[in-house]
Amino acid sequence: MLRITGYSDKFSARPGEEISFYVNSEFDEQYQADIVRLIHGDTNPDGPGYKEELIHSNISDMHAGKNQQIYGGSYIFVPNNELFNVNSFTLCAYIYPTTPYVDVEGVEVGEQAILSKWDAENETGYGLFINSDGELCLRIGHGKGKVEEFSTGKPLYRKVWYKIAASFDVNTGKVFVFQTPYVTHTNSGHGMSMLHPQEDTLGSYHGTSLMGGPAVNDCPFLMASSTLKSKSGRYLTGGHFNYLDDPHEIPIHTHKYNGKIERPKIANKALELHEIELLLSCQGIENIPNELKEVVIGAWNFNANITPNAASTKIIDDSLCKMNGCGVNLPVRGVPGFNWSSDYMSFLHGPQEYGAIHFHDESVDDARWDVSFKFKVPESLKSGVYAARLRVNRLTDSENEDYIPFFIRPAKDAKKAKLCLLMATNSYMAYANDNLSVNSAVAQLLTGRVPLIQPNDLLLNEYKGYGLGTYTTYRDGWGVNISSRLRPILNMRPKYIHILSPSLWQLNADLHFVDWLYEMGYDVDIHTDEDLQNEGVELLKQYQVVMTGHHPEYITEQGWHAIHDYQMQGGRFMYNAANGFYWISTLHPDNGNLLEVRKGDNGTRAWTINPGEYCNAFDGKHGGLWRVRGRDMCKILGVSFTSFGLTYSSYYKRSPDSELKECSWMFEGIGYDEPIGDFGLIGDGAAGLELDRYDLEKGTPHRAFALANSEGHNDMFVTVTEDSTFNARGNILNGTGESNPNTRADIVYYKTPNDGAVISFSSMSWLGSLSHNNYENNVSKLMKNVIDGFMKDGPLP
Ligand SMILES: [Fe+2]
């Protein structure tokens, strides 16, 4: 298992800027840290082998290591306030539990807190919980071992909305708890018939307690969790908490709840049932009489600031006490509430029906570790891919070594290279810690083999708290729609072999290209998706040629437009990938380290969105495939995702267009009949993993040239689901491998206005072939011819 992990505060930096690194040494061991330039990450002995270069820097030294944990699980934090230390009280809300008893794999989840001012260590305070039998209960804590629990005695059902409340009157000792299902045609995961007879899940408790009010504690008021320790040494500040005037220390939380909450409220008095009904009838306190308003000390309105997006982590308290809260670990906002009718499919159109927040016990927005060291980027450091290399006790084996990759951009006023390589950092984030090797049976079927488990995978398996990526689902069955890079991303590492490939995937595979560019002597500048998001076409316009790595699948609207505008303004664009620019992706408006993706109900996808949840919280716009928002990848690449087979790769054959005078210059030195790329480090071929095709209907320009097509793909290659409407025997477009004419990668080239051009190689294993035979091969030759031609000023042939 990996003994050292880490992350940095940013992906990319320019000379003169500073990068902070956060390191966890699992067993508090010391470690050597160095800065290295990453050149080739593939350890395959059939290729050039692993290459990195040590950079002399001020951080090269032994560092004292310490264990740093991640506290995952989303919740709402309301700072401690004397007003919450009540004797008599009422708590109420709507809830929609998604793991009331067990998770989707049948594993018991244990106690979960809905609303709490609860000190779990000292057992003081009070809270509304789901107990380990899946029943709603009120807890009043008088100190260690002196806890009273009052349960409804009825189990809560998964994916059903409930109206819940509890009250306690210290003068009379009267206790009241109830859970009432609230199911409409549309709001729940089941119809009313499933709840027949309702008594199975409708429950209440009436009783008396003579032990007095809850013991006072210094815990914050939490929703979807309770407090294990009220101080953690970790703070909410800046970024997606930029509305806070000063840093807020958060607790270490426990009793993490999975599911939705809506209209949570607390009063400092035991209310009558009709008063509770009044409280729950409004988002805040807008409909209730003044004397009732006086006793309400918290009425959090989850609708309050969800326009024009639902990205804010600020949780507004509408009560007279104004005790606003913060959403920690990014609970999902803008999701359908208890009153969702389906008349509106977006929280912008019907915000009154989107007043719920969904909490997941595995989500992570930021590890919030202590800074271990800082690196000031020297003025002389050239643009490239770098990493902080960490080695426990200077040991070099894979269990004791980790890398934290980052990207150095050229200085703002530096003379720019002619070539720009865009690093697909959004995609690295989307795939973060997918841990498919251990958790995905489908991944093993797609790849046709048993995965090679690495120390990184074992660590993720042991400590599930490292947060997930958009290729997995939470334990309550919901797709992971938000990924953060403010935590170790253990599959974004040099030397890492990814389950979805016979060898490499994502960052490590992109290093195949970085290495080749250096071997060929090209001067290249590196930028990231986030830089593109921030600077748009102005960034790209500085370059004669802009190039992708092997799988830029996730792009933002700003990125898509910048690439389109670059192509229109005479830029020359090389897409060395497949399945690129595919999913609608959004960065958090206040924090570019956070990515959101909603996987819609169409597309080749790891999960399907739930009803009414189509719109991104981060920008309020529809999520899913870019195609559904009129931006098919084909419109800026000339090719469209067609097939994938994550095993053996194949080769291309030239087609007649390649002999035309506009195109033949690219094939100088390559015979018409020779197979192109029947070799390589990814599946032994240049056409593999995922493939794109020429398709006029999807948006390939009418004057595009089809230069080459791949052939000979085996039956592990399957069609993409978005091309399939009916699964029918004999439908060749559903067929696998060679039996389906769409199982092919097409190399497509076309010119754009102002002497611009686009070339798409349409395969994810293309770049893995560049180094074959000591870089002397026809893939390398074709790439070099294209780059050299694209770098020349003036019109293309
Ligand atoms: Fe992908």
Side-chain angles (χ1 to χ4, degrees):
M1 197 180 80
L2 193 58
R3 298 164 80 96
I4 189 157
T5 60
Y7 65 98
S8 59
D9 65 340
K10 47 176 84 86
F11 260 150
S12 74
R14 296 183 190 273
E17 293 176 357
E18 193 171 65
I19 306 176
S20 295
F21 293 89
Y22 311 84
V23 177
N24 159 46
S25 174
E26 204 58 42
F27 303 104
D28 298 316
E29 295 161 291
Q30 59 174 354
Y31 62 91
Q32 170 77 27
D34 291 292
I35 300 293
V36 294
R37 189 152 70 99
L38 300 178
I39 299 166
H40 193 255
D42 195 339
T43 53
N44 187 340
D46 292 341
Y50 185 74
K51 297 183 198 173
E52 67 182 26
E53 190 182 296
L54 187 69
I55 303 295
H56 294 288
S57 77
N58 59 329
I59 66 118
S60 279
D61 206 348
M62 287 300 274
H63 296 252
K66 69 167 177 179
N67 180 286
Q68 307 208 66
Q69 298 284 310
I70 298 179
Y71 299 110
S74 53
Y75 63 98
I76 289 170
F77 161 81
V78 185
N80 182 31
N81 190 303
E82 266 315 298
L83 290 171
F84 288 125
N85 283 324
V86 290
N87 278 315
S88 301
F89 59 89
T90 301
L91 296 165
C92 62
Y94 284 93
I95 63 165
Y96 176 91
T98 48
T99 60
Y101 178 55
V102 292
D103 67 14
V104 288
E105 289 180 353
V107 177
E108 287 185 23
V109 174
E111 300 161 348
Q112 300 166 62
I114 311 286
L115 306 173
S116 79
K117 183 169 176 19
W118 182 256
D119 180 333
E121 207 166 51
N122 300 306
E123 300 187 316
T124 56
Y126 56 92
L128 252 179
F129 288 75
I130 299 175
N131 67 19
S132 51
D133 293 324
E135 305 159 350
L136 185 74
C137 68
L138 170 68
R139 277 192 187 164
I140 300 178
H142 305 282
K144 198 90 185 153
K146 289 182 277 185
V147 177
E148 294 178 285
E149 179 173 309
F150 311 100
S151 148
T152 59
K154 293 290 177 64
L156 292 156
Y157 291 162
R158 170 174 144 78
K159 298 207 286 188
V160 170
W161 274 104
Y162 291 87
K163 190 183 283 190
I164 61 164
S167 65
F168 172 68
D169 188 326
V170 75
N171 298 316
T172 60
K174 224 172 89 178
V175 178
F176 175 47
V177 188
F178 80 81
Q179 66 188 53
T180 308
Y182 183 92
V183 176
T184 67
H185 292 118
T186 46
N187 75 348
S188 293
H190 307 283
M192 279 304 276
S193 55
M194 181 268 190
L195 294 179
H196 179 74
Q198 269 210 50
E199 287 63 34
D200 287 351
T201 187
L202 185 154
S204 62
Y205 173 90
H206 292 269
T208 0
S209 160
L210 299 174
M211 288 180 70
V216 168
N217 61 39
D218 66 349
C219 296
F221 188 85
L222 301 186
M223 303 176 214
S225 280
S226 82
T227 301
L228 186 64
K229 290 186 190 307
S230 54
K231 305 271 181 257
S232 68
R234 294 172 189 193
Y235 293 83
L236 306 180
T237 183
H240 52 305
F241 298 99
N242 61 9
Y243 53 87
L244 294 174
D245 293 332
D246 47 357
H248 283 27
E249 185 172 7
I250 50 173
I252 295 176
H253 63 302
T254 184
H255 295 140
K256 301 165 190 176
Y257 164 74
N258 290 303
K260 301 185 203 179
I261 300 177
E262 183 166 2
R263 302 188 180 184
K265 293 185 172 75
I266 173 170
N268 59 11
K269 184 184 169 195
L271 300 177
E272 299 296 326
L273 185 57
H274 74 271
E275 294 172 311
I276 293 171
E277 294 283 0
L278 256 178
L279 281 188
L280 287 176
S281 73
C282 44
Q283 295 285 352
I285 53 170
E286 62 273 20
N287 295 339
I288 61 177
N290 282 342
E291 64 270 23
L292 191 50
K293 280 183 186 167
E294 296 294 331
V295 299
V296 174
I297 56 173
W300 293 276
N301 181 348
F302 293 173
N303 274 129
N305 53 356
I306 66 166
T307 182
N309 57 50
S312 178
T313 59
K314 185 175 184 179
I315 306 297
I316 306 286
D317 175 16
D318 269 359
S319 82
L320 303 176
C321 302
K322 303 291 174 214
M323 291 194 281
N324 295 334
C326 303
V328 184
N329 286 327
L330 285 173
V332 185
R333 302 197 61 188
V335 293
F338 76 96
N339 57 351
W340 184 66
S341 66
S342 89
D343 289 352
Y344 309 98
M345 297 304 268
S346 153
F347 55 80
L348 294 185
H349 300 150
Q352 68 281 4
E353 295 188 6
Y354 282 84
I357 293 183
H358 198 140
F359 302 86
H360 299 280
D361 67 0
E362 296 162 292
S363 47
V364 173
D365 64 347
D366 184 342
R368 299 191 176 83
W369 289 351
D370 291 339
V371 176
S372 306
F373 55 86
K374 293 181 176 187
F375 172 58
K376 185 160 190 232
V377 182
E379 294 295 339
S380 58
L381 199 63
K382 64 185 239 190
S383 181
V385 183
Y386 292 82
R389 187 185 67 193
L390 315 171
R391 288 175 169 168
V392 174
N393 294 321
R394 297 202 170 115
L395 297 168
T396 59
D397 61 283
S398 56
E399 290 202 16
N400 286 292
E401 177 185 76
D402 193 30
Y403 289 81
I404 309 173
F406 58 92
F407 308 96
I408 297 299
R409 313 171 65 194
K412 241 186 185 131
D413 47 7
K415 186 175 176 299
K416 299 293 181 298
K418 280 190 162 187
L419 298 176
C420 163
L421 173 59
L422 274 179
M423 303 305 292
T425 47
N426 288 349
S427 300
Y428 305 158
M429 265 200 270
Y431 275 96
N433 297 349
D434 54 53
N435 211 18
L436 298 173
S437 339
V438 181
N439 295 331
S440 175
V442 173
Q444 294 186 33
L445 290 173
L446 289 173
T447 56
R449 65 181 174 278
V450 172
L452 177 69
I453 307 277
Q454 292 163 86
N456 311 37
D457 306 318
L458 292 176
L459 183 133
L460 288 180
N461 214 39
E462 178 97 11
Y463 300 110
K464 295 191 190 300
Y466 266 58
L468 304 167
T470 70
Y471 283 78
T472 35
T473 49
Y474 291 113
R475 64 194 302 211
D476 69 356
W478 259 251
V480 178
N481 68 312
I482 294 171
S483 180
S484 166
R485 59 163 302 277
L486 297 174
R487 53 167 172 149
I489 300 181
L490 300 182
N491 54 0
M492 188 197 140
R493 298 291 190 251
K495 305 181 190 176
Y496 184 77
I497 293 172
H498 196 282
I499 181 187
L500 294 180
S501 164
S503 58
L504 310 188
W505 193 272
Q506 292 291 1
L507 172 71
N508 205 16
D510 289 341
L511 292 173
H512 283 145
F513 193 28
V514 171
D515 170 58
W516 179 84
L517 287 162
Y518 292 150
E519 283 293 326
M520 295 295 116
Y522 288 115
D523 187 17
V524 59
D525 287 349
I526 282 184
H527 298 279
T528 67
D529 281 340
E530 192 184 351
D531 303 324
L532 183 62
Q533 159 88 13
N534 293 335
E535 297 170 27
V537 70
E538 295 304 315
L539 170 66
L540 303 184
K541 268 168 60 180
Q542 304 173 90
Y543 297 94
Q544 181 84 358
V545 184
V546 171
M547 310 176 292
T548 71
H550 92 140
H551 193 32
E553 182 175 356
Y554 295 80
I555 192 162
T556 63
E557 184 178 324
Q558 291 83 351
W560 201 99
H561 289 183
I563 288 167
H564 174 268
D565 294 350
Y566 172 71
Q567 295 171 355
M568 292 299 289
Q569 293 171 25
R572 292 170 181 174
F573 192 79
M574 293 178 66
Y575 169 66
N576 307 306
N579 184 212
F581 308 152
Y582 188 65
W583 290 112
I584 293 168
S585 311
T586 320
L587 298 176
H588 192 283
D590 300 323
N591 194 340
N593 297 308
L594 307 169
L595 176 88
E596 183 177 20
V597 178
R598 302 220 174 189
K599 295 214 168 173
D601 47 18
N602 190 15
T604 299
R605 62 201 184 277
W607 45 270
T608 300
I609 199 76
N610 279 287
E613 299 186 5
Y614 293 87
C615 292
N616 301 311
F618 287 0
D619 68 0
K621 299 188 183 182
H622 200 285
L625 292 179
W626 269 120
R627 177 181 300 185
V628 307
R629 276 175 51 194
R631 295 173 180 85
D632 195 300
M633 57 187 281
C634 206
K635 293 187 179 181
I636 52 172
L637 300 171
V639 291
S640 193
F641 187 29
T642 187
S643 177
F644 62 105
L646 310 175
T647 53
Y648 300 109
S649 305
S650 194
Y651 59 87
Y652 296 83
K653 290 298 282 288
R654 287 176 63 174
S655 31
D657 280 6
S658 70
E659 293 199 293
L660 298 172
K661 68 175 188 321
E662 292 95 335
C663 312
S664 57
W665 58 273
M666 300 182 208
F667 291 87
E668 254 167 50
I670 300 171
Y672 187 82
D673 290 323
E674 62 179 275
I676 297 173
D678 52 343
F679 46 78
L681 294 175
I682 300 181
D684 296 324
L689 299 186
E690 303 190 1
L691 313 177
D692 297 342
R693 71 168 189 268
Y694 174 107
D695 191 328
L696 295 170
E697 192 59 26
K698 296 260 163 47
T700 304
H702 71 291
R703 279 203 182 200
F705 301 103
L707 305 179
N709 325 107
S710 70
E711 60 182 39
H713 296 286
N714 66 19
D715 279 336
M716 289 302 288
F717 278 80
V718 294
T719 187
V720 296
T721 59
E722 61 270 29
D723 275 357
S724 178
T725 47
F726 289 104
N727 287 327
R729 286 200 324 158
N731 178 356
I732 58 165
L733 296 182
N734 285 347
T736 57
E738 288 280 86
S739 68
N740 183 339
N742 283 344
T743 308
R744 60 175 210 273
D746 296 330
I747 301 180
V748 168
Y749 166 66
Y750 56 97
K751 295 181 184 179
T752 57
N754 302 302
D755 294 332
V758 174
I759 189 162
S760 294
F761 292 100
S762 303
S763 156
M764 277 177 63
S765 65
W766 176 253
L767 298 172
S769 299
L770 288 169
S771 64
H772 178 72
N773 189 32
N774 200 24
Y775 307 91
E776 291 274 329
N777 63 74
N778 51 21
V779 171
S780 174
K781 194 167 286 171
L782 179 52
M783 282 293 275
K784 194 165 185 328
N785 288 346
V786 172
I787 292 177
D788 292 345
F790 274 19
M791 280 190 358
K792 284 185 193 144
D793 292 329
L796 288 156

